[in-house]
Structure formats: C-alpha cells, structure tokens
Amino acid sequence: MSQKSEKNMAETNPEHSFIVLANRLPVDRCEDTWQAAPGGLVSALAPMVRAERGAWLGWAGCFDETIVPFEFDQMSLVPVPLTEAEHRAYYEGFSNGVLWPLYHDLIVTPQYHRTWWRAYEAINSRFAQAAVRSAASGATIWVHDYHLQLVPHMIRQLRPDVRIGFFNHIPFPPVELFGQLPWRREVVEGLLGADVIGFQRNSDAENFRSAARKFAVDVDAPSPLIDAFPISVDTAAIREAADSATVVRSAARIRHDLGDPDVLMLGIDRLDYTKGIPHRLRAFDELLADDLLSPKTTNFLQVAVPSREGIAAYQDLRDEVERLVGRINGRFATLGRGIVQYSHHSYSFEDTVALYLAADVLVVSSLRDGMNLVAKEFVTARRNRGGALVLSEFAGAVDELAEAIVVNPHDISELKNGMHQAASLDTAQARERIAAMAVTVEDHDVHRWAQRFLAALQAAAPLGPATEKSATDHHDRAAQKVTSFD
C-alpha cells in the first residue's frame, strides 16, 4: 500500500481504545511504500488492533525524518521519532549493551553508562507521552519488551484511567544479577505501573516478584497481576506454508544442492551470543572426529541472521563462528562437498519454512532464551513428517516441548550425545515425538497467547477517578493480590 494512498491520521479520530506499544512499528519501509513486517508478534496483535480500530506506536526504522501518523491495513500507526544518536544510546547502548546481557545471565559483561540510562529514560518518556495523546478514556494499552520498561509507570502517572499491560519477551534475571543494575529501583517501579505484567516462564515471574520485594519503594501500593504467559507461533500460517507446493519444492532443492545427505542438521538463529552457535558447531566437530557421524552422509546448515552488527560483542561472535565453520570444513570437507553450509543473511517466511522441511534435526543450543520460537515453528512445520528437535534446557520452549531431546549446551559431551541421538532416531519414534509437540503448540498458538493475556488485562480494573465503582473494584483486586509478591 502506497503511503500516498493511506489516510493521514489527522483526518481521523486520534484517540483509540486499544493501543500497542513496541520498539518498532509492524511495518517495513520499501521505497515509498510500507509492507507488513514478518514475525509472530505482528501476526498475533495486528488482527486485534484492526478489530478495535486501534493504534500501534513504535519507531518507523528511519532517522531524522518526520513521518506523520498514518493508516495501514485498518490500523493507525503512530511513529515515535528517534535520531541516530538517540537510537545508538537508547537501543544499542542501554537496551542491548546493558539490559540484554544482564537479562541473559551476563554471557557478556554489561556496560553501565549513565548517558545511556538518560537516553533510555528520555525515549521511554517519549513513548509514554505518545501513548497518552493517543488513548481514549479507559483505553487498554499493551506495552512490549525490555526497551520500554519505564513506560507503564509513566503512563500511570498521567492517565490513571487506562488499563496497562506489559509483556517481557526475554528472560527476567535472578535478583542477585538484577541487583547489579544501578537503576534497578526505577526499572522495577516502571514495570509496577502496569495492571498485568507477563513473562515467558514461571521462573521469570518469580524472579520479578523477588526484585519487586527487594527494590520497590512503595510496598503498600496495589500490586499488579504477575504471571507467565508463554508466547507461541502462528501455527495456521506455518502449516499453510509447509503444505504449499512451492515451499515443498524449495525444501527438496535445498537438500539436493547440499548433496542429498542422509542427515541434515539445521541451526537457524539471529547471530547472537545467547544462542550457543559456537557450542553446537564444536559438538558437531566432535561427532565427525569421533566417527559418530560420517562426513560423507551428514551436513550441518547454519543460518545466522544478522543482528546488532554495530555492537562489538556481535562482531566478535561472527568472527568466532566463521572460524569454526572454516575449521570444520578444512578438516572434513572434500572437493565439491562442504560439511557445514553457513549463511549470514535473512530469509523470508516461506524460505524459512522450506529450511525446516529440508532438515532432519533442528539444534537449539541457547545459553539463555526467553522462549525460542524457532523450536515451535520447526515442530509445527514438520507435523506428520517426523524429524527431531534438540532443545536447550535454558530455552523457555522446554517447558512445553516435553518430547524434545533436552540438553545442557554448556556440556559439550551432553550436547554431542543429544545431537547423535536425534540423528539416530527411528522413523516411527521421530514422527511420534514431532506430532506430540506439534499438537501442544497448536493448542497454545500465538492467538491463544494474545487472547489469554488480554483477557487477564480486561479483568483488571485500573485505579482511576472516573467512577466510585472503578476505585472500589481496583481496591478489592489489590486486596486479593496483596500476596502476589510472596
């Protein structure tokens, strides 16, 4: 849809009863047009925003350019502007140089720069003010992820009439780690501005309760509902793609181009130090060296989607992965036949599903992961096709995918044994395991996730001045939940 053909929001009612806040808008810019961005979050929330004639607030992906609010696919999109310097300090700096490593068990060391914190505060305030301007009386506002943790409290201070939900897509760390953050109180109190705070796992929710008990100043304030709402995938879209003749042909072509191996292992991740990519490559190297897998009949396809390439830790990781790939191919490849096929670029949704269909084994060796939706996508695509999933015990998906081969990725021997077991499963057992996991995912798909969260949020009665009843309801709810930090 051309931006020229879209209605300027100035011509419509700027107040909305349902608002989503996320770091990015649900669209990507392609020259003078906007296209729907890929991803499960967009597929889950966009239908709800459309149904409510709501608004989605986020950064448009460009710097130093004024983009007025516009309509796209029956949604009101409200760009929140960022300069390049603000993006560098708020996003690359505080969000991904401080919060991301801190929330992922200090795999790399956070850098606690006060200038980054000030940028984070300022941008969170900008998002909050944009939400307040867009919200109708009594609106529901759903804030997403670690980039915007101060926003709930900021909105609450300005608009006590609205319902506020917050969902954290990444892990929340144990209090002993979180306590390192110089601005721990501000972050905790920022989140406590929400009526419902959602996490991927029960352990994440409990970690936050511990942080709230220790660092929140106003212990007598009404406590929100804090619970686990594990996110999922759009199973219907994945199944439709997997059954497409075009995708099936693409999968066959991938295997053919790799020499039609007996066993094709797949890793598909953002190039991030939390994903354990070097660990799985070292385990694969040992499997070949120990003659547990034959380099003549086995391939490993590693897709590493570019990510945060301006950050030094990610540049170092890319160098390490490329060295390992070169070492394995140098030891075991022959003329005309590589062993590890490495791809450092993005794939479309359909091409990603084709990769799932082409592979026999998916290896998820995350060192720490909120959920890992790739695991859920893989078993959904491969329903009735068999295959095997090697899954880290430190990925949130392990709580639901009981039939996976679960490993500790820090233990290379255990990871290697898990990969060998996956490659050796008989066809009937592999089909049974995949089918069971696919049913689990289908029963709890991304639409059920969104509906469950919003149902909890709608049941919450915010403390607002509108009516005496709303205040009484909120008081009663707070009294019922006073033990939620215990």
Side-chain angles (χ1 to χ4, degrees):
M1 181 183 296
S2 170
Q3 189 178 2
K4 296 177 182 178
S5 66
E6 293 157 350
K7 293 172 62 180
N8 188 305
M9 258 183 53
E11 302 172 5
T12 66
N13 184 358
E15 294 186 346
H16 301 276
S17 61
F18 181 63
I19 296 173
V20 168
L21 267 74
N23 180 59
R24 289 292 300 266
L25 289 175
V27 291
D28 291 326
R29 194 173 188 175
C30 183
E31 296 181 351
D32 65 340
T33 65
W34 297 96
Q35 298 177 346
L41 185 65
V42 175
S43 67
L45 298 185
M48 296 184 175
V49 178
R50 285 196 295 267
E52 297 292 332
R53 299 297 297 171
W56 189 308
L57 281 63
W59 179 50
C62 53
F63 302 117
D64 303 316
E65 181 180 355
T66 299
I67 302 176
V68 298
F70 61 95
E71 295 284 318
F72 179 91
D73 196 15
Q74 302 178 62
M75 296 183 290
S76 296
L77 303 190
V78 182
V80 178
L82 292 176
T83 67
E84 188 170 359
E86 288 172 337
H87 184 266
R88 189 161 51 246
Y90 143 78
Y91 180 78
E92 292 185 357
F94 196 82
S95 295
N96 292 305
V98 176
L99 294 176
W100 183 267
L102 180 65
Y103 284 28
H104 288 87
D105 294 352
L106 307 181
I107 296 171
V108 303
T109 304
Q111 302 175 51
Y112 300 117
H113 296 310
R114 285 170 290 181
T115 54
W116 289 356
W117 164 250
R118 287 193 288 271
Y120 186 79
E121 272 190 308
I123 300 306
N124 272 244
S125 177
R126 188 176 300 168
F127 270 85
Q129 291 175 39
V132 165
R133 288 193 299 268
S134 300
S137 177
T140 295
I141 302 176
W142 193 358
V143 185
H144 285 268
D145 225 359
Y146 62 106
H147 316 87
L148 303 175
Q149 292 177 113
L150 308 182
V151 167
H153 178 72
M154 291 174 169
I155 294 176
R156 178 68 67 213
Q157 292 295 100
L158 298 169
R159 291 289 300 272
D161 61 296
V162 300
R163 287 184 174 87
I164 305 170
F166 181 90
F167 185 77
N168 197 54
H169 292 257
I170 67 173
F172 195 88
V175 68
E176 295 81 8
L177 296 185
F178 181 74
Q180 292 188 17
L181 183 66
W183 307 279
R184 60 203 185 184
R185 178 182 60 82
E186 290 89 338
V187 168
V188 165
E189 293 186 346
L191 292 174
L192 289 175
D195 297 287
V196 177
I197 308 173
F199 297 92
Q200 300 281 23
R201 310 180 76 174
N202 289 324
S203 57
D204 298 322
E206 183 54 42
N207 286 343
F208 179 73
R209 292 189 190 100
S210 297
R213 283 195 298 266
K214 187 166 185 178
F215 301 122
V217 172
D218 189 359
V219 295
D220 295 324
S223 62
L225 172 64
I226 302 168
D227 205 355
F229 298 84
I231 198 171
S232 194
V233 298
D234 189 344
T235 56
I238 294 167
R239 292 288 300 279
E240 181 180 0
D243 292 337
S244 159
T246 301
V247 171
V248 171
R249 285 195 298 270
S250 294
R253 185 168 59 251
I254 291 168
R255 286 193 74 104
H256 176 74
D257 291 345
L258 293 173
D260 289 316
D262 291 345
V263 177
L264 175 58
M265 293 188 170
L266 173 67
I268 180 165
D269 320 80
R270 284 188 309 102
L271 186 60
D272 193 289
Y273 50 75
T274 65
K275 301 300 183 181
I277 299 172
H279 299 65
R280 76 183 64 144
L281 291 174
R282 292 190 184 98
F284 184 65
D285 189 10
E286 289 193 15
L287 284 169
L288 298 175
D290 294 347
D291 290 328
L292 293 173
L293 292 176
S294 169
K296 297 180 180 179
T297 59
T298 308
N299 281 80
F300 200 111
L301 173 56
Q302 177 61 56
V303 174
V305 177
S307 175
R308 302 166 190 162
E309 297 196 304
I311 300 176
Y314 290 78
Q315 297 166 356
D316 294 342
L317 174 64
R318 179 177 179 179
D319 291 343
E320 181 183 9
V321 169
E322 291 176 355
R323 281 196 302 270
L324 287 168
V325 169
R327 188 180 76 182
I328 296 170
N329 283 331
R331 291 181 67 188
F332 299 106
T334 58
L335 289 175
R337 175 171 169 75
I339 304 300
V340 179
Q341 180 72 31
Y342 174 67
S343 174
H344 182 242
H345 61 82
S346 302
Y347 284 81
S348 70
F349 171 71
E350 289 76 14
D351 287 343
T352 299
V353 175
L355 290 170
Y356 296 147
L357 298 188
D360 302 294
V361 176
L362 177 71
V363 183
V364 176
S365 53
S366 306
L367 308 180
R368 191 79 164 95
D369 223 340
M371 177 53 61
N372 195 281
L373 295 179
V374 167
K376 292 187 173 184
E377 290 174 351
F378 177 79
V379 300
T380 300
R382 294 203 61 87
R383 186 172 183 175
N384 302 323
R385 293 179 169 91
L389 171 63
V390 178
L391 182 59
S392 166
E393 65 181 84
F394 303 110
V398 77
D399 294 342
E400 300 169 82
L401 304 183
E403 293 78 14
I405 297 170
V406 178
V407 297
N408 174 2
H410 297 279
D411 183 343
I412 297 300
S413 294
E414 183 174 311
L415 178 56
K416 179 176 70 173
N417 292 338
M419 292 167 65
H420 183 247
Q421 179 187 350
S424 306
L425 282 179
D426 68 70
T427 302
Q429 187 180 18
R431 192 180 297 271
E432 182 179 337
R433 284 177 177 242
I434 287 289
M437 290 187 282
V439 168
T440 297
V441 176
E442 187 170 21
D443 288 345
H444 301 87
D445 70 358
V446 71
H447 303 291
R448 289 280 298 276
W449 163 79
Q451 291 162 4
R452 179 174 170 244
F453 187 97
L454 289 175
L457 185 54
Q458 290 304 312
L463 183 58
T467 65
E468 181 178 346
K469 182 178 186 301
S470 70
T472 301
D473 289 347
H474 186 86
H475 176 78
D476 292 342
R477 182 175 64 87
Q480 293 168 3
K481 296 193 177 80
V482 73
T483 59
S484 64
F485 289 163
D486 298 333

